[in-house]
Amino acid sequence: ASGSDKGFRLLELLPSQQVLVKTASFGWREAFRIMLKELAPQSDEGEYVRPDESINGALGSDAFPAEPGRYRLYVGNPCPWCHRVTLALALNGIGPSVLPVTNLADAPTRARRGGWACEPPDEASGNSPDLKGVYDFFLPGTNLGADASRGSFSGRCTAPLLVDVAKRRIVTNNSRQMVRGINRADFGAEADAGFLAGGLPDLVPAELEADIDALNELLQRQVNNGVYRCGFSTSQRAYDRAASELAAGLDHCEALLGQSRFLLGEHVTESDVMLLPTVVRLDSIYATIFRANVRRVGGLPALRRWAGDMMRIPGVRATFDEAQARESYARNLFPLTPSGIVPAPPAEVVDLLEGGAEDADFARTCFRWRRAPAAAGV
């Protein structure tokens, strides 16, 4: 077409494109593998190997008792591991007066390590400009001056991060530990106004704990981390294995939800908290950017109904900004999306996240209770 940019027109001018295509293809793939190994550690077979969380204190333990105002949580909206923690806070009625939350910016060009920046600088950690500074400031066992321990943390600076402000220590960077601690903690403060009405849900009832733990393990490998294993694979065999396990995991959830309102019966449990962050990202982010397209929420009617029910619980919808997360994945994971073009969301995703109203009366039927809501009559 007249006026179009044809680059160097090499494919028009060269007598044969074979060497050019082979060289470009090889160089592009090798550069992709090298960059992805830095972003996402790989096995010898090209499978993504998620690093273990390095700090594993337990909220609610003798070392870290549940005390209002003592802790601070650092999270980033795009991250599903952060999302599960903010969901746990919302479902337990734990607001910022009890456990303050700092929302991090996904800004790898401004962060020294790990991709998370503090905008504005974080006052709670000595005006740290990024999560690396927060890790340095709250490094376990340090009680030095504000600048004395800077630069001393040598691991991956991942979010979410829970810190003990009073003792200037890191509690944990393990999201599953945080969710379990939140689900069992009683901060002794009234829950935020709303459907909780002073109640305290029981998301890990003793009689279901073994089933919850087993399902959480399946979800972690096949679904939550399964989408990342699809996106971060560097071999076809590794991708095929991850995609197959993802499909099996989602089919298992569909079967469970075809028999009951929530994953493990008629009430929300911790397993529902673990599944939702992946589900709300699946069709618009993971299916496109991570090639995790073996199943769609729109094609799983029981899962779609369940996700809609979860969105009816007051406070759940406010834990996630889908448009911001979609832009973050598309612009910042440049080895996967070198163009930086942000995909449009499917209409069903928009309807799920924005359609329908929160319903406090419905929400009160969704839980077992450790402490019954004053106005619920249960």
Side-chain angles (χ1 to χ4, degrees), residues 26-232:
F26 174 80
W28 188 280
R29 287 177 180 171
E30 287 305 303
F32 166 76
R33 289 192 179 99
I34 291 170
M35 288 188 292
L36 205 58
K37 286 178 182 178
E38 292 295 325
L39 174 68
Q42 303 283 306
S43 73
D44 292 340
E45 296 181 348
E47 181 172 358
Y48 171 51
V49 179
R50 179 170 292 279
D52 292 332
E53 294 87 352
S54 57
I55 306 171
N56 292 286
L59 179 66
S61 65
D62 291 342
F64 302 107
E67 297 176 0
R70 174 169 169 171
Y71 304 97
R72 178 170 288 271
L73 175 66
Y74 294 84
V75 297
N77 173 73
C79 172
W81 320 107
C82 293
H83 190 186
R84 58 172 56 164
V85 181
T86 56
L87 268 174
L89 291 177
L91 293 176
N92 283 278
I94 300 174
S97 63
V98 176
L99 204 166
V101 176
T102 295
N103 290 295
L104 302 164
D106 188 8
T109 60
R110 295 194 293 278
R112 288 170 293 172
R113 190 188 306 164
W116 298 110
C118 300
E119 299 178 351
D122 180 54
E123 293 183 5
S125 58
N127 292 316
S128 296
D130 54 24
L131 194 59
K132 171 68 165 62
V134 178
Y135 268 84
D136 290 345
F137 188 88
F138 288 106
L139 189 67
T142 60
N143 54 8
L144 306 173
D147 296 316
S149 63
R150 298 236 176 239
S152 58
F153 186 80
S154 60
R156 285 181 170 248
C157 297
T158 59
L161 178 70
L162 181 66
V163 302
D164 183 338
V165 176
K167 290 193 173 182
R168 196 179 158 186
R169 292 188 61 188
I170 295 174
V171 180
T172 182
N173 59 1
N174 184 323
S175 64
R176 286 185 286 181
Q177 288 260 89
M178 290 181 211
V179 170
R180 181 60 57 92
I182 291 167
N183 285 339
R184 284 185 163 162
D186 185 349
F187 282 89
E190 289 188 7
D192 285 355
F195 80 96
L196 288 168
L200 196 60
D202 188 357
L203 301 184
V204 192
E207 66 273 19
L208 288 178
E209 185 170 354
D211 293 334
I212 290 169
D213 288 342
L215 182 55
N216 286 355
E217 284 299 320
L218 181 148
L219 293 175
Q220 180 73 8
R221 174 169 174 79
Q222 296 186 209
V223 180
N224 304 143
N225 198 43
V227 293
Y228 280 84
R229 291 169 58 217
C230 288
F232 293 159

Side-chain angles (χ1 to χ4, degrees), residues 77-78 83 281 285 316-327 353:
N77 173 73
H83 190 186
R281 291 163 172 79
I285 297 174
V316 168
R317 187 176 282 117
T319 62
F320 181 51
D321 182 338
E322 186 276 338
Q324 190 274 335
R326 181 162 32 88
E327 180 176 357
L353 295 174

Side-chain angles (χ1 to χ4, degrees), residues 300-344:
L300 299 168
L303 191 69
R304 173 63 179 82
R305 185 271 311 156
W306 164 85
D309 283 350
M310 291 292 291
M311 288 294 164
R312 293 173 67 189
I313 300 173
V316 168
R317 187 176 282 117
T319 62
F320 181 51
D321 182 338
E322 186 276 338
Q324 190 274 335
R326 181 162 32 88
E327 180 176 357
S328 175
Y329 276 85
R331 298 209 188 281
N332 292 330
L333 293 179
F334 61 88
L336 301 181
T337 54
S339 71
I341 294 173
V342 182

Side-chain angles (χ1 to χ4, degrees), residues 304 308 311 317 345-357:
R304 173 63 179 82
M311 288 294 164
R317 187 176 282 117
E348 287 183 335
V349 171
V350 176
D351 180 62
L352 172 65
L353 295 174
E354 298 181 4

